[in-house]
């Protein structure tokens, strides 16, 4: 098997050295590993900061080690001390390196005596990259302030000093104090009946990687959706969310049937304000979710299937470095499809697979060759660089190919054994392949060769024989789109009354990049796309309308961009506006108003788009 030189070298020296190879962390897990985190946090809303006390339990790997190196970003370190078995503390010397733009500040703690525990007193910055602080006015119910974390990929270090690499797992417990009335939740078992007394405790007994560390606090109500599931959301949102997510128990039970017991106990969902920068985040026991999936018709519930699937692919078996993230996201997107098929039927699962496959076919050729690979050469790959459609959609396409070649029964058994075999471990692509070779490829000879597997994993583009599902409904939409564009079918005559969300997405996705203005206007007149409450449809529609020069949509597009901070739904509109000088000027105006409501990640992304457009202009 082709091993990357750096990884092969590490393996020869010491198996653990493989894990020392995370270029996105300063941690030195071959020297010492954090095994448990004990957190004491005070949520300070007026100052938009956490006052923290982090006690790290250490497992020294090198008996001669002289220091503990941690990841931090914009943390204010007040004190570092060693904690003896007798509870006595001894101050430790430490050095905080200058801030690296990507990695933050390396914290080197002098530990000549290799203490069993180290304790750090610190505060976070109001601009912490992994936290968003909202004033009451920025919430739905306007009563209390709100805050939430988003640690993936490398933002946990902006609110806790730790070894911020997915290769390192630790258990944690936490005590959090907050103003009364506020509910605090974390990525651990949450008690729906916890009194709102400003004093919360949590215990996560399973070892998790740092990117799954999560916290949120605010005016949060709870509604049960099943025997082991509930939704958490602002009071005015919680009923709608409970209705949208009422199938949660069915989804959990279905996944258990496929891949074995749900390992984590409860599965709750926290619906965040619309500034949440992602669709969903698979924080253990408590998925964090965007409210943009609350459409009222359960059409975007695949998000729950996806985040729930991570309870196996990702949270049980984790990619050891960001370069291997397709092991999380590709496997999860495949499992998501299986859950959707079992609960909502094959036609919908096929539509979702086709939507993503067609989008990937369109985009992959324009990417740098290294980014087209599932497992890219890690040199020069930043933490979020591997997080493109390739990880999700080429990854899941590869697994669907395996399923078709080996047959569903044998492939299901294989995948279940894989999750079991690597449960609570962090692995590289190469370890996954080492397991796949004897347990799938060689076990059922003649179905698929290792060369074909490697072409998927290390090759560019999409293999030519990659199988696509067939969707008669999508075929009919292709036909109608063609007829409409050719002038053979009026917009009002499109058979779109019964189109679901995915079918509208598909219709819009495959319009020309710059569609004729008159066609766009006819579409809008017939189907009232401007102002749609469905943000997936809105993002696509406004992108087309802006590109096609339909200025009538600008105000509604601006409203969408201001209300929604989810990167995937908002950045395409900035990009569409940035293509013309007038549009760019408008986008800058929109951003000036929207900025204070955006998450730091969204601010950074939008500022990048605007800066890039301006540099091209000059
Ligand atoms: N783990 C991801 C979100 C993520 C990835 C956050 C990388 C930060 C860095 C999550 O499981 C995810 O994939 N969310 C998707 C959901 C969709 C595929 C249903 C999203 O946010 O759009
Ligand atoms: Zn995911």
């Amino acid at each position: 098997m082709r091993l990357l030189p750096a990884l092969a070298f590490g393996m020869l020296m010491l198996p653990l050295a493989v894990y020392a190879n995370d270029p996105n962390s300063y941690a030195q897990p071959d020297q010492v590993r954090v095994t448990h985190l004990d957190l004491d946090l005070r949520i300070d809303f007026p100052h938009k900061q956490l006052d923290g006390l982090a006690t790290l339990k250490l497992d020294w790997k090198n008996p001669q080690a002289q220091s503990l190196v941690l990841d931090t970003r914009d943390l204010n370190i007040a004190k570092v001390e060693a904690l003896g078995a007798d509870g006595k503390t001894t101050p430790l010397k430490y050095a905080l390196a200058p801030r690296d733009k990507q990695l933050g500040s390396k914290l080197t703690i002098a530990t000549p005596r290799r203490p069993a525990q180290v304790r750090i007193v610190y505060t976070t910055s109001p601009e912490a990259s992994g936290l968003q602080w909202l004033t009451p006015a920025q919430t739905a119910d306007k009563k209390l302030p709100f805050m939430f974390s988003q640690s993936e990929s490398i933002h946990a270090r902006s609110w806790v000093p730790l070894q911020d690499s997915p290769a390192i797992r630790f258990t944690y417990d936490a005590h959090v104090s907050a103003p009364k009335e506020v509910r605090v939740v974390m990525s651990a078992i949450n008690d729906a009946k916890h009194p709102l007394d400003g004093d919360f405790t949590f215990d996560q007994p399973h070892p998790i990687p740092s990117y799954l560390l999560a916290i949120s606090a605010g005016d949060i109500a709870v509604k049960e959706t099943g025997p082991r599931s509930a939704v958490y959301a602002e009071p005015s949102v919680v009923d709608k969310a409970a209705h949208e997510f009422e199938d949660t128990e069915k989804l959990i039970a279905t996944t258990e049937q496929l891949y074995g017991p749900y390992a984590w106990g409860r599965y709750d969902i926290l619906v965040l304000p619309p500034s949440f920068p992602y669709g969903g985040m698979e924080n253990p026991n408590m998925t964090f979710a965007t409210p943009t999936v609350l459409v009222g018709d359960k059409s975007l519930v695949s998000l729950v299937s996806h985040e729930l699937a991570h309870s196996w692919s990702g949270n049980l078996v984790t990619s050891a470095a960001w370069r291997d993230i397709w092991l999380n996201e590709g496997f999860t997107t495949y499992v998501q499809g299986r859950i959707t098929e079992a609960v909502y039927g094959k036609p919908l699962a096929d539509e979702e697979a086709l939507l993503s496959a067609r989008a990937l076919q369109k985009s992959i050729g324009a990417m740098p060759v290294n980014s087209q690979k599932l497992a890219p050469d890690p040199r020069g790959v930043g933490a979020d660089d591997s997080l493109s459609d390739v990880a999700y959609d080429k990854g899941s396409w590869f697994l669907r190919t395996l399923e078709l070649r080996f047959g569903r029964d044998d492939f299901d058994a294989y995948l279940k054994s894989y999750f079991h075999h690597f449960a609570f471990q962090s692995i590289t692509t190469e370890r996954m392949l080492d397991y796949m070779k004897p347990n799938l490829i060689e076990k059922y000879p003649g179905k698929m060769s290792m060369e074909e597997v490697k072409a998927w994993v290390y090759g560019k583009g999409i293999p030519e024989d990659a199988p696509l599902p067939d969707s008669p409904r999508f075929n009919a939409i292709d036909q109608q789109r063609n007829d409409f564009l050719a002038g053979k079918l009026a917009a009002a005559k499109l058979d779109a009354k019964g189109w679901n969300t995915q079918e509208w997405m598909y219709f819009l996705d495959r319009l020309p990049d710059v569609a004729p203005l008159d066609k766009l206007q006819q579409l809008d007149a017939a189907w009232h796309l401007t102002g749609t409450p469905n943000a997936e449809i809105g993002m696509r529609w406004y992108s087309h309308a802006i590109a096609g020069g339909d200025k009538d949509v600008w105000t509604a597009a601006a409203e969408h961009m201001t209300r929604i901070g989810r990167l995937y739904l908002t950045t395409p509109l900035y990009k569409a506006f940035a293509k013309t000088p007038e549009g760019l000027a408008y986008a800058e105006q929109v951003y000036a108003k929207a900025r204070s409501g955006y998450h730091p990640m969204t601010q950074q992304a939008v500022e990048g788009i605007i800066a890039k457009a301006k540099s091209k202009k000059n």
Side-chain angles (χ1 to χ4, degrees):
M1 150 186 331
R2 195 193 95 153
L3 266 183
L4 296 154
L7 297 179
F9 179 63
M11 271 212 279
L12 282 177
M13 290 171 55
L14 180 79
L16 276 175
V18 163
Y19 295 135
N21 218 306
D22 181 347
N24 294 292
S25 168
Y26 289 113
Q28 301 172 339
D30 52 341
Q31 301 291 308
V32 56
R33 291 179 155 238
V34 172
T35 59
H36 182 82
L37 163 69
D38 186 338
L39 257 187
D40 207 313
L41 297 175
R42 189 174 76 87
I43 302 181
D44 181 351
F45 280 110
H47 295 102
K48 303 191 173 185
Q49 75 181 40
L50 299 174
D51 300 338
L53 183 68
T55 307
L56 307 173
K57 224 175 243 161
L58 303 171
D59 178 11
W60 291 94
K61 298 291 177 191
N62 177 356
Q64 264 95 48
Q66 296 295 308
S67 57
L68 164 67
V69 178
L70 300 177
D71 294 298
T72 76
R73 187 188 289 120
D74 301 329
L75 296 183
N76 209 325
I77 309 287
K79 191 158 70 174
V80 182
E81 43 195 28
L83 195 66
D86 52 1
K88 272 207 190 123
T89 57
T90 329
L92 294 176
K93 293 209 171 88
Y94 63 91
L96 196 60
R99 184 185 198 273
D100 176 90
K101 205 163 170 278
Q102 255 82 45
L103 301 188
S105 302
K106 172 180 177 177
L107 174 62
T108 307
I109 302 168
T111 49
R113 299 165 66 109
R114 292 170 292 284
Q117 294 187 60
V118 163
R119 167 171 289 180
I120 300 146
V121 182
Y122 68 98
T123 57
T124 62
S125 150
E127 280 85 40
S129 63
L131 300 176
Q132 187 176 11
W133 298 86
L134 298 170
T135 62
Q138 290 171 318
T139 66
D141 292 349
K142 319 275 181 226
K143 207 178 105 193
L144 296 172
F146 201 103
M147 66 82 62
F148 62 87
S149 68
Q150 169 56 40
S151 296
E152 195 179 13
S153 303
I154 52 169
H155 301 284
R157 64 189 66 176
S158 75
W159 62 284
V160 185
L162 38 60
Q163 293 180 310
D164 198 9
S165 165
I168 301 161
R169 289 170 171 270
F170 54 87
T171 52
Y172 80 83
D173 52 63
H175 169 248
V176 185
S177 61
K180 287 207 168 85
E181 291 186 82
V182 160
R183 183 188 302 278
V184 180
V185 301
M186 286 194 80
S187 52
I189 297 276
N190 288 270
D191 172 11
K193 303 209 164 59
H194 198 293
L196 302 183
D197 57 2
D199 200 66
F200 290 78
T201 54
F202 303 91
D203 176 25
Q204 176 53 267
H206 300 297
I208 61 163
S210 55
Y211 77 88
L212 294 177
L213 201 61
I215 187 168
S216 179
D219 187 4
I220 300 173
V222 190
K223 195 162 176 182
E224 296 287 331
T225 53
R228 49 180 162 170
S229 62
V231 292
Y232 288 64
E234 284 194 70
S236 65
V237 177
V238 77
D239 285 326
K240 190 167 189 210
H243 175 256
E244 203 86 32
F245 300 148
E246 68 186 7
D247 296 334
T248 301
E249 173 56 30
K250 234 192 263 177
L251 302 175
I252 306 171
T254 299
T255 323
E256 287 188 307
Q257 270 193 347
L258 284 167
Y259 306 114
Y262 177 70
W264 305 83
R266 288 192 62 85
Y267 177 78
D268 296 325
I269 302 170
L270 170 67
V271 178
L272 289 159
S275 63
F276 183 55
Y278 289 98
M281 180 62 216
E282 66 272 25
N283 299 131
N285 298 110
M286 179 69 80
T287 281
F288 284 16
T290 173
T292 60
V293 294
L294 305 180
V295 184
D297 60 3
K298 299 195 214 168
S299 63
L300 298 176
V301 165
S302 284
L303 179 105
V304 176
S305 306
H306 180 99
E307 305 314 336
L308 171 68
H310 272 305
S311 307
W312 287 260
S313 42
N315 301 7
L316 268 193
V317 184
T318 307
S319 47
W322 297 107
R323 169 260 184 181
D324 302 296
I325 191 62
W326 77 278
L327 296 180
N328 282 12
E329 299 301 345
F331 279 60
T332 291
T333 305
Y334 169 78
V335 171
Q336 168 199 330
R338 294 297 302 276
I339 302 171
T340 301
E341 177 180 330
V343 177
Y344 301 104
K346 187 161 160 56
L348 182 63
D350 285 349
E351 287 191 348
E352 293 194 331
L354 262 176
L355 267 175
S356 72
R358 292 290 184 212
L360 184 68
Q361 282 176 324
K362 190 172 165 192
S363 64
I364 197 166
M367 299 177 188
V369 168
N370 200 35
S371 312
Q372 298 182 27
K373 301 175 181 177
L374 285 176
D377 181 332
R379 277 171 296 190
V381 175
D384 287 333
D385 291 356
S386 322
L387 270 161
S388 71
D389 293 355
V390 171
Y392 288 79
D393 301 328
K394 184 174 173 181
S396 55
W397 204 342
F398 171 43
L399 295 209
R400 288 199 307 275
T401 306
L402 289 171
E403 184 204 314
L404 282 171
R405 295 282 191 94
F406 289 90
R408 184 164 273 194
D409 288 351
D410 289 339
F411 186 64
D412 283 358
Y414 166 75
L415 204 50
K416 187 175 178 177
S417 77
Y418 164 82
F419 291 142
H420 184 73
H421 184 78
F422 290 113
F424 297 110
Q425 294 187 48
S426 302
I427 65 169
T428 58
T429 299
E430 287 65 35
R431 272 191 83 188
M432 185 283 285
L433 291 175
D434 279 347
Y435 183 78
M436 178 181 277
K437 195 168 176 242
N439 293 297
L440 186 70
I441 306 299
E442 291 172 352
K443 187 166 170 191
Y444 308 102
K447 310 266 183 196
M448 194 166 179
S449 68
M450 272 318 275
E451 281 61 47
E452 287 176 281
V453 169
K454 285 186 201 161
W456 272 99
V457 173
Y458 297 113
K460 63 174 182 142
I462 303 155
E464 261 175 20
D465 57 354
L468 276 173
D470 182 39
S471 164
R473 288 183 65 90
F474 272 17
N475 295 341
I477 289 172
D478 281 332
Q479 185 64 51
Q480 294 205 26
R481 189 191 314 95
N482 289 342
D483 290 349
F484 164 66
L485 290 168
K488 289 192 236 160
L489 186 70
K493 293 279 190 251
L494 287 167
D495 188 20
K497 265 237 168 64
W499 286 356
N500 64 18
T501 301
Q502 286 70 19
E503 288 157 3
W504 269 110
M505 286 159 70
Y506 187 69
F507 177 83
L508 294 168
D509 272 356
R510 305 191 86 195
L511 284 176
D513 287 344
V514 182
L517 179 58
D518 62 324
K519 294 283 173 207
L520 293 168
Q521 287 169 334
Q522 290 159 19
L523 267 183
D524 205 16
W527 300 101
H528 310 292
L529 296 170
T530 301
T532 170
N534 186 320
E536 287 271 6
I537 296 175
M539 177 270 278
R540 287 168 173 79
W541 165 246
Y542 298 130
S543 298
H544 279 302
I546 296 162
D550 187 355
K551 287 185 72 175
D552 290 351
V553 310
W554 280 22
T555 334
E559 191 279 327
H560 171 114
M561 291 152 80
T562 310
R563 182 170 43 89
I564 300 169
R566 181 179 173 190
L567 291 161
Y568 152 80
L569 292 177
T570 290
T571 55
L573 301 190
Y574 280 98
K575 286 184 189 153
F577 273 128
K579 288 213 165 91
T580 65
E582 196 190 356
L584 178 59
Y586 188 73
E588 285 190 84
Q589 270 177 38
V590 175
Y591 180 58
K593 288 209 188 104
R595 185 183 178 281
S596 66
Y598 282 163
H599 189 283
M601 290 178 203
T602 311
Q603 293 179 359
Q604 208 194 329
V606 173
E607 282 164 24
I609 293 166
I610 292 175
K612 195 170 157 196
K614 285 191 147 168
S615 75
K616 272 192 195 147
K617 212 171 64 178
N618 297 330

